Structure formats: structure tokens, C-alpha cells
């Protein structure tokens, strides 16, 4: 049986005595597309830094592609949450992608071929010679995905990849990431619940500790327990029973389905003109 791409066992990490991750265990197998959800401050970025070898946990073990991080350059393709681009910087999209190959010993022709191949994978060959700072937010993100793909890594890690992208672009990006699992294992770290609606293998919720759920069998990837871990328990005084269970079902229901909303007990109120509402008895 092949070794897991990611294997965390009883990982704990604290900053100045403040526990950020507490006894976290996670296994990700080759070819999986896993989304790691969590609120701001829940430990997502700390976990990613442990995977990359930028932080060493106080307890537990971390194995990535069979080794203890950090790994050799190019083994893990990483797309950070924010990339600072100075306006007017004369760097082309092709040059940005080739930066992902700077640690590799190869000819200029091979670098160009690798960059072109990666840009074809993300549908950005038309922008090959365009300046990076002139691209839209979604196009820049695709170029950074191409940069991560160029070294042909075994693991791709994306930290908040939809932070600067509009809703339509988010769905397109997740479709792209899902198509990459034939080439590498994909781990997406996000606080955006839209990530759980993508065609992922598994969803894990982290907020100091971790809960996981598989998407096999059409099951909702987010359980009420996971939502409670992410965002707190439901207020018992709220009149809606089964609130967290309803939200979990709604997230997995087909978009724009009024029937799905009704079955959750969270039906959207009917809309009527303001003047009509004023005529209603109080």
C-alpha cells in the first residue's frame, strides 16, 4: 500500500503558551482533493506552515511525501494567500511561471516548455507575454497555480485561493483544482464555505482540533458537529430546530432549490413589494 502524501499524527502547536493546534491527526492519500476549512485564527495557516517545514510542532509528527519537512524545492507546489505585485513591475506571466523552476537545473528551452505546458493546464496561454500586473485577480491566481504546477510536484497546497476572486471565478477555480488530481494531490485551505461545495474527496474542519467527513455516497461534506466546531454551537433560544443540521443539508443541496430550503426548516421568506408589506396586519 503506498505511503500517504500527508500524514499528521497527534500534532500540537502553541505560540507563547497559547494552543493553536491540539492533538491534530490527518491522513491524505495520493490523488485526493481535500478541503481544510476553518475560521480566521483557527490554526489553518499554522498547519500549512508545519506541512511546509516553516514551523516545527511541539508534539506529534509530520510526514509529507514520505519525508519530514522541509522537502526539496519543487516537491510541494504552494500558492500563498497573498502575493504582493508592485504596479509597473515589468515581469511577464511566462517569467512568473518560470520562477517556480528556479531551483531546477534545466535549459532555457526546457523552462519555456514547462511554463507553456503549465499555462495550458490553467487555460492562460493567451496571456503568455502579458505583464502580470495587468491581469485580473482571477487570471493572476491561475498564473500562480501554473507556477506551482511547473515543477510537477506530488502535492499542491493552496492557502485561501479564492480571497480576491468574484463568486463566478471561485467556482471556475475549484473546477480547475479538481481537474489537477490526476497530476498531484490537492489540499485547499479556506474559511470560505463555498469550498465545501466543490467536487472534493473529503472535507476537514479545523479550529484548534480537527473533524473530517468523506463526500462518498452523496453525503453532505459538512456535518452539524463540524459546523459547531467551526462557528460555535447553536443558540438554544433560536426558534429553528435542527439549525446546524439544516445548514449542513442546505450546503449540499442543489443551488436555487426552494424544496431543499423547505426541507431544512430554513425556508427563505417570500418576497413582496414594500407597499404590500405595509398593508399587512402587524
Amino acid at each position: 500500500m503506498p505511503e500517504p502524501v500527508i500524514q499528521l499524527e497527534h500534532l500540537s502547536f502553541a505560540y507563547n503558551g497559547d494552543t493553536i493546534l491540539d492533538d491534530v491527526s490527518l491522513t491524505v492519500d495520493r490523488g485526493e482533493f481535500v478541503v481544510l476549512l476553518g475560521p480566521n485564527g483557527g490554526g489553518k495557516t499554522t498547519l500549512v506552515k508545519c506541512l511546509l517545514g516553516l514551523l516545527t510542532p511541539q508534539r506529534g509528527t509530520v510526514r509529507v511525501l514520505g519525508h519530514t519537512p522541509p522537502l526539496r524545492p519543487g516537491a510541494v507546489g504552494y500558492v500563498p494567500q497573498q502575493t504582493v505585485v508592485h504596479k509597473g513591475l515589468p515581469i511577464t506571466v511566462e517569467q512568473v511561471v518560470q520562477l517556480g523552476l528556479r531551483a531546477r537545473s534545466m535549459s532555457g528551452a526546457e523552462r519555456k516548455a514547462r511554463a507553456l505546458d503549465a499555462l495550458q493546464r490553467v487555460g492562460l496561454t493567451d496571456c503568455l507575454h502579458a505583464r502580470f500586473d495587468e491581469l485580473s485577480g482571477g487570471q493572476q491566481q491561475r498564473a500562480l497555480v501554473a507556477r506551482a504546477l511547473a515543477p510537477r510536484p506530488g502535492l499542491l497546497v493552496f492557502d485561501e485561493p479564492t480571497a480576491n476572486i468574484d463568486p463566478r471565478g471561485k467556482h471556475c477555480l475549484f473546477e480547475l483544482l479538481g481537474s489537477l488530481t490526476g497530476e498531484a494531490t490537492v489540499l485547499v485551505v479556506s474559511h470560505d464555505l463555498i469550498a465545501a461545495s466543490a467536487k472534493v474527496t473529503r472535507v476537514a474542519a479545523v479550529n484548534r482540533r480537527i473533524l473530517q467527513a468523506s463526500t462518498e455516497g452523496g453525503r453532505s461534506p459538512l456535518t452539524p458537529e463540524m459546523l459547531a466546531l467551526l462557528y460555535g454551537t447553536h443558540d438554544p433560544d433560536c426558534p429553528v430546530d435542527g439549525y446546524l443540521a439544516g445548514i449542513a443539508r442546505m450546503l449540499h443541496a442543489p443551488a436555487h432549490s426552494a424544496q431543499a430550503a423547505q426541507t431544512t426548516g430554513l425556508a427563505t421568506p417570500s418576497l413582496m413589494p414594500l407597499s404590500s408589506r405595509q398593508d399587512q396586519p402587524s
Side-chain angles (χ1 to χ4, degrees):
M1 184 175 180
E3 190 168 11
V5 173
I6 296 174
Q7 191 162 24
L8 307 178
E9 293 185 345
H10 307 294
L11 184 149
S12 294
F13 189 91
Y15 288 106
N16 300 320
D18 183 17
T19 300
I20 306 300
L21 296 171
D22 185 17
D23 196 30
V24 168
S25 295
L26 174 69
T27 299
V28 178
D29 292 321
R30 193 171 303 277
E32 282 199 278
F33 180 9
V34 176
V35 168
L36 187 66
L37 287 173
N40 292 331
K44 303 186 307 297
T45 298
T46 297
L47 192 151
V48 168
K49 288 181 177 180
C50 289
L51 290 176
L52 298 177
L54 301 176
L55 292 174
T56 301
Q58 282 90 2
R59 291 192 303 275
T61 60
V62 182
R63 300 277 290 177
V64 177
L65 296 169
H67 301 278
T68 300
L71 277 63
R72 61 173 176 79
V76 177
Y78 174 57
V79 179
Q81 179 177 353
Q82 293 181 329
T83 298
V84 177
V85 181
H86 296 287
K87 196 69 176 175
L89 182 67
I91 185 170
T92 67
V93 171
E94 181 183 29
Q95 290 170 330
V96 167
V97 177
Q98 288 189 24
L99 286 174
L101 301 167
R102 63 190 182 281
R104 295 293 183 90
S105 177
M106 58 180 63
S107 67
E110 189 174 359
R111 288 177 186 274
K112 283 181 173 291
R114 284 280 194 100
L116 180 60
D117 179 65
L119 286 168
Q120 285 176 334
R121 292 292 294 112
V122 302
L124 213 57
T125 52
D126 290 347
C127 300
L128 182 70
H129 301 298
R131 274 193 10 190
F132 185 76
D133 66 339
E134 295 176 346
L135 301 183
S136 68
Q139 288 174 323
Q140 287 185 353
Q141 195 71 324
R142 283 176 175 264
L144 295 176
V145 173
R147 183 183 68 177
L149 278 173
R152 297 173 183 169
L155 171 65
L156 288 165
V157 179
F158 300 89
D159 190 0
E160 300 287 1
T162 60
N164 300 309
I165 302 178
D166 60 45
R168 182 175 179 275
K170 290 180 181 182
H171 288 287
C172 292
L173 179 63
F174 278 113
E175 286 292 325
L176 168 63
L177 299 185
S179 73
L180 300 178
T181 54
E183 304 171 37
T185 301
V186 177
L187 176 68
V188 172
V189 178
S190 180
H191 73 278
D192 192 342
L193 287 179
I194 196 173
S197 66
K199 295 179 180 178
V200 301
T201 310
R202 199 149 36 96
V203 173
V206 61
N207 190 2
R208 199 166 110 161
R209 59 191 182 89
I210 196 166
L211 290 173
Q212 304 173 59
S214 169
T215 57
E216 293 180 1
R219 188 170 52 183
S220 172
L222 282 173
T223 66
E225 293 78 17
M226 292 167 73
L227 286 164
L229 174 68
L230 291 172
Y231 305 111
T233 56
H234 176 49
D235 183 350
D237 294 330
C238 179
V240 181
D241 291 330
Y243 178 79
L244 292 174
I247 289 292
R249 289 194 298 271
M250 184 182 288
L251 286 168
H252 193 62
H256 310 301
S257 171
Q259 183 178 2
Q262 292 285 351
T263 60
T264 63
L266 298 171
T268 303
S270 59
L271 300 179
M272 62 181 70
L274 182 61
S275 58
S276 299
R277 294 185 186 183
Q278 290 173 337
D279 294 335
Q280 300 298 314
S282 58

